[in-house]
Amino acid sequence: MATVQVNGLEVAYDRVGEGPPVVFLHGAAEDARVWRPQLDALADAFTVVAWDEPGAGRSSDVPESFALADYAHCLAAVVESLRLGPAHIAGLSWGGTLALEFYRHHADLVSTLILVDTYAGWKGSLPAEEVRARVEGARRMLATPRGEFDPTLPGLFAGEPPAAYVPLLDTIAAVVRPETMRTQLSLMAETDQRDLLPTVSVPTLLLWGEQDVRSPLGVARQFQEAIRDAELVVIPGAGHVSHLERPEEFNRAVRGFCHAHS
């Protein structure tokens, strides 16, 4: 584990391997550990990094009124600490929205974008009625007593969660901070990055689970249409958390893309 200090916050990250840097950004209600299959599989050819964003894992609590740009600036400190130049930036779901915001503010630190089952913010990718339903669901979740708080979002997997990762997912869920989820989900509901997509000029890989119901393939098509020359790879039999449900296919796609653009 390594850490960087950003405006009084301690931000932790895991780093393994040597080679071109690939930085993984986790989704809401997760931390760096969710990328364990990628750290294990890709460290032979890349410097693989997975961070605990502010409010997650080993990092400091997320401050009140933290904005999406603040997350991006914290991520910039992590990438700069690697001293390896621009990085391949890969983000899942909420992490993909953050990857786009990172590109908005720190394009010089981005070699490529890998957007995984994500959104241009909920407001930028989903119908208004769906956003309202998700906001209401988040409100009910966050209103439960702390001892009954369950941060598991619906529709993450195409089928049952992979048995090999259930203990890991349970361990991660047990330490999710409600305050962090409140910030993440509020920002997702308010964010619309459609203005940003046509400005993306780095190679971009769209990695999508074929059976994703949280960010359906129609959202991937929106990205493909808006981002010039974006490459779409659909992972059969996978849902929203495609990197755990089909890790071999996921890792193969990331490896090939990063090799082609390193």
Side-chain angles (χ1 to χ4, degrees), residues 146-169:
R146 186 171 291 270
E148 301 173 15
F149 175 65
D150 180 1
T152 306
L153 296 169
L156 295 180
F157 295 96
E160 292 297 316
Y165 298 119
V166 168
L168 173 64
L169 293 169

Side-chain angles (χ1 to χ4, degrees), residues 118-193:
T118 189
Y119 317 88
W122 286 350
K123 187 176 180 180
S125 294
L126 299 174
E129 60 271 20
E130 175 64 17
V131 175
R132 287 193 293 269
R134 293 189 183 199
V135 168
E136 177 58 24
R139 186 196 64 77
R140 290 195 301 270
M141 173 199 296
L142 293 165
T144 59
R146 186 171 291 270
E148 301 173 15
F149 175 65
D150 180 1
T152 306
L153 296 169
L156 295 180
F157 295 96
E160 292 297 316
Y165 298 119
V166 168
L168 173 64
L169 293 169
D170 288 345
T171 300
I172 293 172
V175 295
V176 169
R177 306 170 210 178
E179 297 79 7
T180 299
M181 281 205 74
R182 181 176 289 107
T183 299
Q184 292 169 327
L185 299 181
S186 176
L187 288 173
M188 283 293 278
E190 298 166 358
T191 296
D192 183 347
Q193 297 168 319

Side-chain angles (χ1 to χ4, degrees), residues 51-99:
W51 84 331
D52 289 334
E53 70 179 26
R58 301 150 296 182
S59 293
S60 299
D61 287 338
V62 63
E64 287 188 38
S65 303
F66 213 55
L68 198 54
D70 295 316
Y71 284 100
H73 299 327
C74 287
L75 180 58
V78 171
V79 175
E80 288 170 341
S81 76
L82 303 175
R83 302 186 185 279
L84 294 173
H88 304 286
I89 304 295
L92 165 69
S93 192
W94 149 261
T97 302
L98 173 55

